[in-house]
Amino acid sequence: RDRRPAFHYDAVSGVVRQSYPRMWMLGGGFKGAAGANVYRGEIAFYHTEDTEGKDAGVQNASLKYLLGLDKTLGGNKNASVQFGQEHFMDYGAYYASLPQGAPSMKKAQTFASIRLSDMWKYQTIKPKIFLLYNFSERDYFVNGEYERSLSDDLTAAFGINLFGGKKPHT
């Protein structure tokens, strides 16, 4: 089952019903090292219950891929960069099935992310930052975290999540 809920609106009763449609996925990936760099990639085809893309409430079948690079910057500093896309199948049928005035997803979603991490003071302090930008929707997510080991059995952490974008439904 798809972990993303599908929503169905019954115009007669005014009731919104939630379901988790069936889906299957076929994919693969690779990973390789070259010096201090690790390259990786994944590709997957997601097939959903709405094979013709006519139900706006059910995620269309899609093809997704992700390419990434992990690099040690020296000492305990690490950086990770990812680029990915998701292409929706039967987009015309999906678009035609949308209720009038409803926001639509783009045919292709394109995103990039960066993760930076470090470890200080005998690896007891671990600052991290993660940035994700969706080029298609022009929105972003930033997650900063500071973790400190107070003892072998106790760790304290605090962080912040920032969301934003240029569109009203972001």
Side-chain angles (χ1 to χ4, degrees):
R1 299 241 176 235
D2 195 341
R3 291 183 289 163
R4 298 169 292 191
F7 297 96
H8 306 277
Y9 176 69
D10 183 350
V12 175
S13 67
V15 174
V16 175
R17 185 176 47 87
Q18 179 179 327
S19 68
Y20 292 89
R22 291 178 185 234
M23 87 172 204
W24 60 263
M25 185 268 299
L26 177 66
F30 68 89
K31 189 174 189 179
N37 301 321
V38 175
Y39 301 93
R40 56 192 156 71
E42 300 174 8
I43 189 165
F45 175 73
Y46 291 81
H47 186 274
T48 62
E49 280 183 2
D50 186 21
T51 57
E52 296 179 3
K54 293 182 179 178
D55 185 346
V58 176
Q59 183 81 24
N60 277 27
S62 62
L63 181 67
K64 300 178 186 183
Y65 76 88
L66 176 76
L67 300 171
L69 169 69
D70 301 326
K71 182 169 183 67
T72 300
L73 302 175
N76 292 317
K77 294 177 182 69
N78 293 296
S80 176
V81 179
Q82 295 186 137
F83 175 82
Q85 285 191 319
E86 179 174 12
H87 296 274
F88 295 103
M89 309 298 179
D90 299 311
Y91 187 78
Y94 155 76
Y95 194 78
S97 72
L98 285 172
Q100 188 171 358
S104 65
M105 296 186 67
K106 295 194 182 281
K107 185 174 184 174
Q109 296 287 320
T110 303
F111 68 90
S113 68
I114 299 171
R115 181 185 311 274
L116 301 170
S117 63
D118 201 354
M119 290 188 275
W120 307 329
K121 198 173 180 186
Y122 307 107
Q123 300 181 355
T124 59
I125 299 173
K126 300 174 184 174
K128 304 170 197 166
I129 189 161
F130 175 78
L131 306 120
L132 174 72
Y133 186 76
N134 183 323
F135 295 97
S136 305
E137 297 294 328
R138 297 184 350 194
D139 57 11
Y140 62 86
F141 168 63
V142 178
N143 170 253
E145 185 178 317
Y146 176 88
E147 182 180 304
R148 171 115 193 218
S149 296
L150 303 174
S151 70
D152 288 343
D153 299 322
L154 183 63
T155 300
F158 70 90
I160 187 167
N161 292 321
L162 302 172
F163 303 88
K166 299 206 180 246
K167 294 186 178 184
H169 65 273
T170 296

